[in-house]
Amino acid sequence: MLMLGVVSEVGEVDVVVNLPNGLTGFIRGTDISEEFNQVIDNSPEDDEMAENEQDLDLCDVISVGQLLTCSVIDIVTVDKTRKANLTTKPEIVNCSVNKQDINKNMVLQGVIQSVEEYGYLVNVGVKGVTAFLNKGEVLLKKCDIVRVVVTTVNEGNLILGLYEVGMKALSDKTVTTFSSLSPGHLVNVTVKKHAANGIRCSFLGGIVGSIHLIHLKDMYNSKSVQDVYPTKRKLLARVLLINPENKVRPLLLSTVDRVTRYCSRYRAIRYSVLPLPG
């Protein structure tokens, strides 16, 4: 299960993440990425590495307010409160993505693997794929978590750009398979039917999703869902959760303004909180 989260706290050993529906998640330092584990575990071999990497902490690679796509390891109940254990390791977050699924404009989350002269090698966790991000106005370092968009595909070699979370909805040319979807994507949906706790909708050629009551805007004055959201109504929604194992409701979306209208470049993503509905 993949969820869109916002970092609310960065501690010494773990990261606290706000998730949809009021759920709180935790990412242990060892579940950030293998690149981060290698830097922490391995002793530097030379003075240059010692200066740049030996003091690397969680707060150096993750910031409060940063948007993350997280994979849920498990959900536990502690003192009657449900908490999710999460990971951002690319090979787990992107485990459903195959080499042949990747196309231009696809959005992926990865980790900076190394800093090169003209850019960065990015680990996107897909076998047989090499990804390169050109240097731009935002300076990055090894172990940084980045959301990137594919600009060029050449036999498994990818050229990437930093992904801007914004107001532009995806087209069916961008999403060719279910695995091409990522939490955070903005999509145009059509209301298909109503349920006790919200609505069912479809988009991009038949992909089915759900929007819970708390994620529906314009629900006021005791109006019924059927009155406010009749079938065939077109809506703009952002993907919050992807659960391929749930055949009935594999996707959770939101139409709430503060989620759908969120627009920010990478620099602002790292320092501005996106409040997901609770």
Side-chain angles (χ1 to χ4, degrees), residues 25-43:
F26 296 86
I27 311 173
R28 295 181 302 177
T30 54
D31 289 319
I32 298 296
S33 68
E34 291 303 327
E35 286 77 9
F36 184 75
N37 291 342
Q38 290 171 7
V39 170
I40 297 300
D41 294 341
N42 296 341
S43 298

Side-chain angles (χ1 to χ4, degrees), residues 1-3 17 25-34 37 62 68-74 84-94 109 145:
M1 183 190 304
L2 297 177
M3 303 183 79
V17 182
F26 296 86
I27 311 173
R28 295 181 302 177
T30 54
D31 289 319
I32 298 296
S33 68
E34 291 303 327
N37 291 342
I62 295 180
L68 294 175
T69 297
C70 306
S71 179
V72 179
I73 299 172
D74 58 28
N85 292 313
L86 311 168
T87 179
T88 53
K89 290 183 177 181
E91 61 271 20
I92 298 178
V93 169
N94 299 323
Q109 181 170 283
I145 299 174

